[in-house]
Amino acid sequence: MITVHELPEKVQRWVSHAVGGGAQVAAATGLRQGANPWLLTFEPGGRVDAAVLRLGDPTDPDHRQRFATEVAALQVAGEQQVPAARLIATDLDGSAAGVLAVLTTVLPGHSRIPSVASTERLQGLGATAAALQAVPLAPRTALPRRTRSIEDVDFAAQRRKKGTTPLLTAAEQRLERLPAPTGPTVFVHGDLWFGNTLWSGDHCTGLVDWDCAGAGSPGIDLSGARFDAALMFGLPAAEQVLKGWQRATGRRAEQLAYWDVVAALGTLADMAFCVPALHDQGRTDLDADLLGQRRDAFLTTALSRLDADDQ
């Protein structure tokens, strides 16, 4: 938690005006590794007792794009009744708050990841992916076409710079020989992992961090969720995510092996890069070696299925 005085005064005034009723920011608690975004509480409480505030740099084009995407995605989610926070106020150029700012409602639940996941939770993640994919969406400026998760990070280029493995190289070469799947595009979250979901018991109460959202194949979020489940809990967990998705959609997933390979390639050879975020979500039992083993098991299985599909 930071003191209120650490939030810029102009930001506090903007927030108070947006909330109304004379409310002032009483406290701010960092939600990601003790920092931005912030959970705000107000005094006096009234129309809004708490809100989530995300801040960004208006001079950074990447920040501006991400904030525009977040707002556009939350607007679509609100229109389509997708479980997500609702917008209270936005400043997408910094003219009012002095920085980029998005203020939203607070969803119930928490994002801490258990060391063991129930079947209900795993299948619930699949059903959440299915709810997104029930929304047809054509690409637009703020919600561009997506071909993989976290598309603004070039993992392949980073592997070329930092080092790779024979398995990752073979997977890249395998995909290069295949045409990208085609078909109608749907609403995708673009970074669907357990850390971006909120839970009350085994019920998913909503999705957060929409700055990678866009329009793309249903396979992007489904395989992204499957891959994360395999990293968190082992390979069988991915199949439970698939079961939840198929039960919710009433159909089989198409080109699953292709999208599983794409999901696994959204990593570096050394999985240490994602350990801090996992520890922040409560999974201090996970280290780079175990994550690498689980990544490779998932990718090997996906490549085997991809080969079988070609026969």
Side-chain angles (χ1 to χ4, degrees):
M1 181 180 296
I2 67 171
T3 65
V4 175
H5 298 296
E6 292 179 72
L7 277 180
E9 184 177 342
K10 192 171 183 178
V11 170
Q12 293 186 55
R13 289 199 303 269
W14 178 80
V15 169
S16 296
H17 177 75
V19 172
Q24 302 293 317
V25 179
T29 303
L31 295 176
R32 292 296 191 206
Q33 300 182 47
N36 191 29
W38 307 98
L39 173 63
L40 307 181
T41 55
F42 301 102
E43 290 181 356
R47 186 173 69 88
V48 178
D49 292 324
V52 173
L53 174 67
R54 184 184 298 274
L55 301 176
D57 180 358
T59 67
D60 187 328
D62 179 62
H63 280 209
R64 292 173 74 100
Q65 176 62 48
R66 284 177 170 269
F67 272 65
T69 294
E70 175 106 11
V71 169
L74 288 174
Q75 289 170 339
V76 172
E79 293 165 359
Q80 299 295 328
Q81 301 301 305
V82 172
R86 299 298 178 243
L87 291 166
I88 297 173
T90 65
D91 183 358
L92 295 183
D93 60 11
S95 60
V99 293
L100 304 179
V102 175
L103 190 69
T104 66
T105 59
V106 178
L107 293 170
H110 62 84
S111 62
R112 290 183 67 81
I113 306 170
S115 58
V116 177
S118 66
T119 297
E120 290 77 14
R121 179 172 291 223
L122 293 168
Q123 293 187 2
L125 182 62
T128 299
L132 287 167
Q133 294 153 16
V135 181
L137 187 71
R140 61 185 74 167
T141 300
L143 293 170
R145 184 177 183 90
R146 304 296 192 186
T147 60
R148 58 182 175 85
S149 295
I150 320 178
E151 190 151 359
D152 60 343
V153 177
D154 191 339
F155 288 100
Q158 291 194 30
R159 286 193 295 270
R160 289 192 294 270
K161 180 179 180 180
K162 299 179 180 181
T164 187
T165 70
L167 179 60
L168 290 168
T169 299
E172 286 183 14
Q173 294 172 346
R174 184 75 175 85
L175 286 191
E176 287 173 357
R177 298 194 296 269
L178 294 174
T182 59
T185 55
V186 300
F187 189 32
V188 298
H189 180 276
D191 190 13
L192 185 53
W193 70 292
F194 272 106
N196 281 340
T197 58
L198 298 177
W199 298 82
S200 179
D202 286 327
H203 171 66
C204 181
T205 58
L207 297 173
V208 299
D209 290 359
W210 290 86
D211 54 353
C212 292
S217 166
I220 295 172
D221 281 344
L222 171 57
S223 287
R226 279 171 46 78
F227 179 52
D228 183 61
L231 290 179
M232 298 301 102
F233 309 110
L235 198 56
E239 301 310 306
Q240 293 299 326
V241 173
L242 177 61
K243 286 183 180 180
W245 186 92
Q246 292 184 152
R247 179 175 295 137
T249 61
R251 61 184 176 87
R252 293 179 59 83
E254 298 178 355
Q255 299 163 317
L256 183 67
Y258 176 94
W259 291 112
D260 281 356
V261 174
V262 170
L265 284 174
T267 61
L268 303 180
D270 184 353
M271 293 292 286
F273 78 98
C274 62
V275 168
L278 300 182
H279 285 191
D280 187 54
Q281 294 299 322
R283 291 303 305 271
T284 55
D285 58 307
L286 296 174
D287 59 29
D289 288 341
L290 179 57
L291 292 168
Q293 293 169 19
R294 288 178 172 178
R295 186 266 313 281
D296 291 351
F298 183 87
L299 181 53
T300 299
T301 300
L303 288 170
S304 297
R305 288 176 172 172
L306 197 57
D307 291 338
D309 290 345
D310 287 346
Q311 296 177 0

